[in-house]
Amino acid sequence: MYGMNFNRENFDLMVKERTSLNAENTQLKTEVKLLNEKVQYLLKKLFGRSSEKLSPDQMELLLDELQEAQEALEIAEEAEQDDSEPVESRRGKRKPLKERVPEDLPVEQVIIIPDEVQGNPGRYKKIGEEKVRELDVVPTRYFIREIIREKFIEIDNREVPPLIAPAPARLIPNSYASAGLLLQIILSKYCDHLPLYRQEQVLKYRHGIEISRKTMGNWMYLIADWLTLIYEALRNEIRQSEYIQADETFIKYQDPKKDHCPNGYLWAYHSPGVGVLFEWFPSRAASCLDSMLTDYAGLLQSDGYGSYPSWLNDPAHEQEKGNIIHACCWAHARRKFHEAGDSISRKIIKLIAKLYRNETTLRKQPELDRATYRQEHSAPVLNEIKTILDREQKKQLPKSKLGEAISYTLKRWDSLNLFLEHGKLEIDNNLVENAIRPTAIGKKNFLFFGSPRSGQDSAIIYSLIETCRKLDINPADYLRDVLEALPTMGQNEAASWTPAQWNSSRAQSA
């Protein structure tokens, strides 16, 4: 009996230890799975493609498109057999030179006559000619412009003071910088991303002109100060459009109070078809949104960064919360599933691709009603995505990549679906992210802003240049007109000098 009790106790102990070991084993397997996901994610970041396009291992999800692909292949083969009509590439036929350069470019002709004809021109008769056109360039030419104001006196009345024409208004008084020189520096820095210290070297060693980077920096400060009125008029145009896409990107800056360059942030606001506005702040706090969103009413679209809902949920912004409709971005949701990379994620990515194909159709056929078309074609796809997410959320580990992607998407589901109701909304925030790209190239070259103030100065100039790019305006033409008009521009005239207003006025005069 004692032996049986001993064996029973020993058996219970073994069962308890086995249960504990099984629980520990399950926990370790879970940790190994999560660590493997992190390793695969890091390897993909380090050595994989940065593109989020469908990869070859996702082809099993494209079976429903095989028929369409086969039909497209047959059409391509038929076109290939027809020698009279060459097959176009994905990017289309290459345009001839005359369609790739402006029509108003000056033409310089170089006529080449055979030596025999030059030696005896009377012996030959011209019967035709052969032309070869090439695009040439003359390097930037610097020159001194002398502005001479002649003085006159009356011959018969010497008591009248001499006459002299008033001096033309200048952007920078008592400076040798012309509007053309300032324009060249602005375009080189903010369009071609050439830092001022490199411009200093180019001027010195290529043209023999010495202008210090400090002097050029002071000029940029003064120009930004001049442009502030137009910048604020651009802000009003974007706010009045009732649709703003928002994003932010970091750029380091020099702080004399610190021994390192801390992160500052360019906040970007884009309204499709209206313009882009940048604001610079030394932080990424929600309070940075005050100057743009206070008293704003309309659509606001952003990524999943928490400052936007935090600002809207602040009791101090109760009025704005009732007037602002906050939408989220499908590109960021898709990115989460792309990072997960498993079969469930690939299936969801495939469904999201259907949403984007619908958006492509809407871009190609602008006459369609966007909200109606989306309700008919995109709403069923969203319902299918929601069904998968609800089902898989119960099965996946919350800290796994797929679990995080599902949680991210479901948490913002209502905001992600707002584009169904509002035809003005885009499906994602990509347009404002594209507007940020030029600044990202610039910060790789100049590394940091020289001071907190220079961050906002750059934001002002970037706003006007990027708005020109979005509206298909040559920034050189726009800025030349603006720089020449600024010295005599009244405060009430600034609203008519935003890129959109300038372009409209020029089109009317033309």
Side-chain angles (χ1 to χ4, degrees):
M1 191 70 179
Y2 175 78
M4 291 180 61
N5 289 337
F6 176 79
N7 291 336
R8 181 66 182 181
E9 291 175 359
N10 199 22
F11 177 77
D12 291 341
L13 181 62
M14 292 174 60
V15 170
K16 186 176 181 180
E17 289 180 353
R18 181 177 179 180
T19 303
S20 176
L21 288 173
N22 285 338
E24 184 179 357
N25 186 40
T26 302
Q27 182 181 355
L28 290 174
K29 285 182 177 180
T30 302
E31 291 179 1
V32 169
K33 182 180 179 181
L34 294 176
L35 289 173
N36 280 334
E37 284 190 359
K38 292 180 180 179
V39 170
Q40 293 302 319
Y41 172 73
L42 291 174
L43 289 175
K44 186 187 297 184
K45 283 290 185 182
L46 287 173
F47 307 111
R49 297 187 309 170
S50 60
S51 171
E52 296 179 10
K53 294 181 179 180
L54 293 175
S55 57
D57 60 355
Q58 294 170 308
M59 290 299 104
E60 71 272 9
L61 299 174
L62 303 178
L63 295 177
D64 57 332
E65 297 179 5
L66 285 179
Q67 184 64 33
E68 296 177 10
Q70 181 63 31
E71 293 174 359
L73 182 61
E74 293 174 357
I75 294 173
E77 290 175 350
E78 292 176 1
E80 190 174 331
Q81 295 172 0
D82 188 358
D83 295 334
S84 61
E85 298 182 3
V87 180
E88 294 186 15
S89 68
R90 288 177 57 192
R91 299 180 181 228
K93 294 181 181 178
R94 185 181 182 184
K95 296 179 180 178
L97 180 62
K98 64 181 181 180
E99 295 183 16
R100 287 183 280 135
V101 298
E103 295 181 358
D104 58 351
L105 277 184
V107 177
E108 178 183 306
Q109 290 187 336
V110 178
I111 300 176
I112 303 176
I113 301 176
D115 294 339
E116 297 82 355
V117 177
Q118 294 184 22
N120 191 356
R123 185 178 174 183
Y124 296 92
K125 176 184 178 182
K126 180 180 177 180
I127 60 172
E129 61 186 16
E130 293 185 5
K131 290 184 179 180
V132 176
R133 295 172 68 90
E134 61 182 14
L135 187 63
D136 203 351
V137 61
V138 177
T140 303
R141 181 175 66 93
Y142 291 87
F143 60 94
I144 298 294
R145 176 186 290 111
E146 284 188 345
I147 301 174
I148 302 173
R149 296 186 294 144
E150 297 180 340
K151 293 182 179 181
F152 298 88
I153 61 170
E154 288 189 28
I155 298 175
D156 299 329
N157 187 0
R158 297 299 181 94
E159 296 180 359
V160 178
L163 290 176
I164 185 171
R170 299 175 61 81
L171 276 169
I172 305 176
N174 303 320
S175 171
Y176 58 86
S178 67
L181 177 61
L182 295 170
L183 174 64
Q184 175 67 19
I185 296 172
I186 291 172
L187 295 177
S188 296
K189 179 174 182 180
Y190 296 101
C191 290
D192 304 331
H193 319 296
L194 198 63
L196 294 181
Y197 78 90
R198 292 187 189 174
Q199 294 191 51
E200 179 185 12
Q201 294 174 346
V202 169
L203 286 169
K204 183 176 181 180
Y205 297 110
R206 202 173 297 170
H207 302 281
I209 301 171
E210 293 189 15
I211 304 177
S212 70
R213 70 192 79 172
K214 181 179 179 181
T215 298
M216 289 187 281
N218 291 335
W219 289 347
M220 294 300 99
Y221 164 78
L222 294 171
I223 293 301
D225 192 50
W226 273 106
L227 294 172
T228 300
L229 290 176
I230 301 176
Y231 171 81
E232 292 300 328
L234 176 61
R235 182 198 301 275
N236 292 334
E237 285 185 353
I238 293 175
R239 283 166 53 89
Q240 291 168 7
S241 70
E242 298 181 351
Y243 177 26
I244 294 177
Q245 294 182 327
D247 201 2
E248 69 287 330
T249 183
F250 82 92
I251 297 183
K252 293 183 178 296
Y253 69 99
Q254 284 187 324
D255 188 343
K257 299 178 181 179
K258 299 180 180 179
D259 57 357
H260 67 284
C261 289
N263 285 340
Y265 291 87
L266 275 176
W267 291 72
Y269 304 97
H270 171 240
S271 180
V274 178
V276 179
L277 186 129
F278 292 95
E279 281 192 297
W280 188 88
F281 291 97
S283 76
R284 204 183 179 196
S287 58
C288 299
L289 296 166
D290 289 348
S291 56
M292 195 66 183
L293 297 185
T294 300
D295 297 329
Y296 169 70
L299 299 168
L300 172 66
Q301 190 170 31
S302 71
D303 55 19
Y305 181 47
S307 283
Y308 300 99
S310 174
W311 189 90
L312 290 171
N313 292 326
D314 190 325
H317 305 129
E318 194 67 31
Q319 177 182 348
E320 287 83 0
K321 183 178 181 181
N323 295 332
I324 294 176
I325 300 173
H326 184 210
C328 284
C329 167
W330 266 107
H332 285 82
R334 182 192 184 280
R335 193 169 301 158
K336 297 291 184 181
F337 292 103
H338 177 78
E339 293 172 354
D342 58 279
S343 59
I344 301 298
S345 298
R346 292 194 292 269
K347 186 173 182 179
I348 293 173
I349 291 174
K350 172 65 172 55
L351 292 172
I352 295 175
K354 291 184 178 181
L355 299 177
Y356 276 86
R357 283 198 292 272
N358 294 337
E359 298 303 306
T360 301
T361 301
L362 289 174
R363 283 194 295 271
K364 292 180 178 178
Q365 302 180 43
E367 70 278 3
L368 293 175
D369 182 78
R370 288 160 65 96
T372 303
Y373 186 88
R374 287 166 172 170
Q375 288 287 350
E376 182 179 352
H377 295 85
S378 296
V381 180
L382 290 168
N383 291 335
E384 189 173 352
I385 293 175
K386 184 66 161 54
T387 301
I388 296 174
L389 296 181
D390 289 338
R391 182 182 70 237
E392 293 297 326
Q393 187 179 34
K394 304 173 184 177
K395 301 179 182 179
Q396 304 300 327
L397 296 171
K399 292 187 178 181
S400 67
K401 283 294 179 182
L402 178 56
E404 291 177 350
I406 292 173
S407 176
Y408 177 94
T409 306
L410 288 179
K411 184 179 179 180
R412 297 164 178 82
W413 186 254
D414 292 338
S415 297
L416 287 168
N417 283 261
L418 284 173
F419 77 104
L420 293 176
E421 308 170 22
H422 303 275
K424 198 174 185 178
L425 269 175
E426 298 293 332
I427 191 174
D428 55 35
N429 223 28
N430 285 351
L431 292 177
V432 70
E433 290 197 350
N434 291 340
I436 288 177
R437 286 183 179 179
T439 68
I441 299 173
K443 72 181 179 183
K444 287 182 179 180
N445 291 344
F446 55 71
L447 302 180
F448 51 79
F449 290 134
S451 67
R453 171 60 200 246
S454 65
Q456 181 58 23
D457 293 341
S458 296
I460 291 172
I461 300 175
Y462 269 133
S463 298
L464 298 179
I465 288 178
E466 188 58 25
T467 296
C468 286
R469 188 174 76 90
K470 288 291 188 180
L471 299 181
D472 198 22
I473 296 172
N474 185 341
D477 294 340
Y478 168 73
L479 287 173
R480 179 174 290 278
D481 283 357
V482 169
L483 293 179
E484 291 175 353
L486 275 175
T488 58
M489 185 185 300
Q491 186 171 355
N492 57 344
E493 300 176 48
S496 62
W497 280 96
T498 62
Q501 295 299 322
W502 174 87
N503 196 38
S504 176
S505 300
R506 190 175 65 161
Q508 291 176 4
S509 61

